[in-house]
Coordinates of all heavy atoms in Angstrom, one line a residue:
T56 N 6.4 -1.8 30.0 CA 7.2 -1.5 28.8 C 8.1 -0.2 29.0 O 8.8 0.0 28.0 CB 6.3 -1.3 27.6 OG1 5.4 -0.2 27.8 CG2 5.5 -2.5 27.3
T57 N 8.0 0.4 30.0 CA 8.9 1.6 30.3 C 9.5 1.5 31.7 O 9.1 0.6 32.5 CB 8.1 2.9 30.3 OG1 7.0 2.9 31.3 CG2 7.4 3.1 28.9
G58 N 10.5 2.4 31.9 CA 11.1 2.2 33.3 C 12.1 3.4 33.4 O 12.1 4.4 32.6
T59 N 13.1 3.3 34.2 CA 14.1 4.3 34.3 C 15.5 3.7 34.3 O 15.7 2.5 34.6 CB 13.9 5.1 35.8 OG1 14.0 4.1 36.8 CG2 12.6 5.8 35.7
L60 N 16.5 4.5 33.9 CA 17.9 4.1 33.9 C 18.7 5.1 34.7 O 18.5 6.4 34.6 CB 18.3 4.1 32.4 CG 19.8 3.8 32.1 CD1 19.9 3.0 30.8 CD2 20.8 5.0 32.2
Q61 N 19.6 4.6 35.5 CA 20.5 5.3 36.3 C 21.9 4.8 36.3 O 22.0 3.5 36.4 CB 20.0 5.6 37.7 CG 20.8 6.6 38.5 CD 20.0 7.1 39.7 OE1 19.2 6.4 40.1 NE2 20.5 8.1 40.4
R62 N 23.0 5.5 36.2 CA 24.3 5.1 36.2 C 24.9 5.1 37.7 O 24.6 6.1 38.4 CB 25.3 5.8 35.4 CG 24.8 5.7 33.9 CD 25.7 6.4 33.0 NE 25.3 7.8 32.6 CZ 25.9 8.9 33.0 NH1 27.1 8.8 33.7 NH2 25.5 10.1 32.6
F63 N 25.8 4.2 38.1 CA 26.3 4.1 39.4 C 27.8 3.9 39.3 O 28.2 2.9 38.4 CB 25.7 3.1 40.3 CG 24.2 3.4 40.6 CD1 23.1 3.1 39.8 CD2 24.0 4.1 41.8 CE1 21.9 3.4 40.1 CE2 22.7 4.4 42.2 CZ 21.6 4.1 41.4
E64 N 28.7 4.4 40.2 CA 30.0 4.0 40.3 C 30.4 3.4 41.7 O 29.7 3.8 42.7 CB 30.8 5.1 40.0 CG 30.9 5.6 38.6 CD 31.8 6.8 38.3 OE1 32.3 7.4 39.3 OE2 32.1 7.1 37.2
L65 N 31.2 2.5 41.8 CA 31.7 1.9 43.1 C 32.7 2.8 43.6 O 33.7 3.0 43.1 CB 32.1 0.5 42.9 CG 32.2 -0.4 44.2 CD1 30.9 -0.7 44.7 CD2 33.0 -1.7 43.9
H66 N 32.4 3.3 45.0 CA 33.5 4.0 45.7 C 33.4 3.6 47.2 O 32.4 3.5 47.8 CB 33.1 5.5 45.7 CG 33.1 6.2 44.4 ND1 34.3 6.5 43.8 CD2 32.0 6.6 43.5 CE1 34.0 7.2 42.7 NE2 32.8 7.2 42.5
D67 N 34.6 3.2 47.5 CA 34.9 2.6 48.9 C 33.9 1.6 49.2 O 33.3 1.5 50.4 CB 34.7 3.8 49.9 CG 35.7 4.9 49.8 OD1 36.9 4.5 49.3 OD2 35.4 6.1 49.9
G68 N 33.7 0.7 48.3 CA 32.7 -0.5 48.4 C 31.3 -0.2 48.5 O 30.5 -1.2 48.7
R69 N 30.9 1.0 48.1 CA 29.5 1.3 48.0 C 29.1 2.0 46.6 O 29.9 2.8 46.1 CB 29.0 2.3 49.1 CG 29.2 1.7 50.5 CD 28.8 2.8 51.6 NE 27.5 3.1 51.5 CZ 26.5 2.6 52.2 NH1 26.7 1.5 52.9 NH2 25.2 3.1 52.1
W70 N 27.9 1.7 46.2 CA 27.6 2.2 44.8 C 26.9 3.6 45.1 O 26.2 3.9 45.9 CB 26.4 1.3 44.2 CG 26.9 0.1 43.7 CD1 26.6 -1.2 44.2 CD2 27.7 -0.1 42.6 NE1 27.2 -2.1 43.5 CE2 27.8 -1.7 42.4 CE3 28.4 0.6 41.6 CZ2 28.7 -2.2 41.4 CZ3 29.1 0.1 40.6 CH2 29.2 -1.3 40.5
Q71 N 27.7 4.6 44.2 CA 27.3 6.0 44.3 C 26.6 6.3 43.0 O 27.1 6.0 41.9 CB 28.5 6.9 44.7 CG 29.1 6.5 45.9 CD 28.4 6.7 47.1 OE1 27.5 7.7 47.2 NE2 28.5 6.0 48.2
A72 N 25.5 7.1 43.0 CA 24.9 7.6 41.8 C 25.9 8.4 41.0 O 26.5 9.3 41.5 CB 23.7 8.4 42.1
A73 N 26.0 8.1 39.7 CA 26.8 8.9 38.8 C 26.0 9.6 37.8 O 26.5 10.4 36.9 CB 27.7 8.0 38.0
S74 N 24.6 9.6 37.9 CA 23.7 10.3 37.1 C 22.4 10.4 37.7 O 22.1 9.7 38.7 CB 23.7 9.7 35.6 OG 22.9 8.5 35.7
T75 N 21.6 11.3 37.3 CA 20.2 11.2 37.7 C 19.5 10.1 36.8 O 20.0 9.6 35.9 CB 19.5 12.6 37.4 OG1 19.6 12.8 36.0 CG2 20.1 13.7 38.2
S76 N 18.2 9.8 37.2 CA 17.4 8.7 36.5 C 16.9 9.3 35.2 O 16.5 10.5 35.1 CB 16.4 8.1 37.3 OG 15.5 9.0 37.8

Side-chain angles (χ1 to χ4, degrees):
T56 62
T57 60
T59 56
L60 178 151
Q61 190 169 11
R62 296 182 268 117
F63 292 85
E64 292 183 347
L65 194 67
H66 294 288
D67 298 323
R69 295 176 66 88
W70 290 110
Q71 303 292 328
S74 74
T75 57
S76 61

